Amino acid sequence: MFSVTVRDHMMIAHSFRGEVFGPAQRLHGATYVVDAAFRRAELDADNLVVDIGLASQQLNDVLGQFTYRNLDDEAEFAGVNTSTEALAKVIADRLAERVHAGALGEGARGLAGIAVTLHESHIAWASYERSL
């Protein structure tokens, strides 16, 4: 399996509900380094997994929907604990929508999957991987 990974970051604010989250139940900020890995079994006609420039641009556009926002105030996240794991899935799903819409180029239609990893720090991160 071939893969290409692009990286960006986002800064958000949010809080959690539930005793398991301890002090993170209070409003707090998070800065995530975000990796999006695009995978396919065979390279496209140009010998690429995906156009790195388009992949970087689309990741940046998706993250721009969240950065500098308090996710507690966003209607789509009402009643949702926006854990690192949950955010990785949302980002992967939005990138998949863009692949299907052709925003990453025609060659990207041959992608087999996407994995999104959100790094909370140098010692903790979470990922979500999905098929296309």
Side-chain angles (χ1 to χ4, degrees):
M1 187 69 64
F2 294 95
S3 68
V4 166
T5 301
V6 295
R7 177 173 278 183
D8 206 332
H9 74 283
M10 69 177 180
M11 294 178 269
I12 57 103
H14 62 169
S15 61
F16 296 121
R17 288 173 322 287
E19 297 277 328
V20 69
F21 293 104
Q25 292 176 82
R26 294 187 298 274
L27 183 65
H28 62 280
T31 300
Y32 294 107
V33 173
V34 182
D35 292 331
F38 299 86
R39 297 192 171 108
R40 66 188 306 146
E42 301 295 330
L43 299 177
D44 72 8
D46 295 310
N47 260 359
L48 299 174
V49 171
V50 69
D51 180 308
I52 291 174
L54 289 176
S56 295
Q57 177 186 16
Q58 293 304 312
L59 177 60
N60 183 265
D61 288 351
V62 167
L63 298 182
Q65 299 168 12
F66 306 114
T67 201
Y68 298 120
R69 289 191 167 81
N70 178 352
L71 300 184
D72 296 349
D73 294 338
E74 300 296 318
E76 70 182 291
F77 296 121
V80 175
N81 277 328
T82 51
S83 65
T84 304
E85 299 90 333
L87 290 174
K89 181 181 185 314
V90 169
I91 293 165
D93 288 346
R94 291 192 183 183
L95 286 171
E97 290 169 4
R98 288 167 182 248
V99 168
H100 293 305
L104 281 87
E106 284 304 310
R109 294 188 190 278
L111 289 169
I114 297 174
V116 172
T117 302
L118 274 65
H119 301 264
E120 291 190 55
S121 71
H122 65 288
I123 59 170
W125 54 90
S127 299
Y128 177 78
E129 186 169 350
R130 59 161 290 158
S131 298
L132 288 173

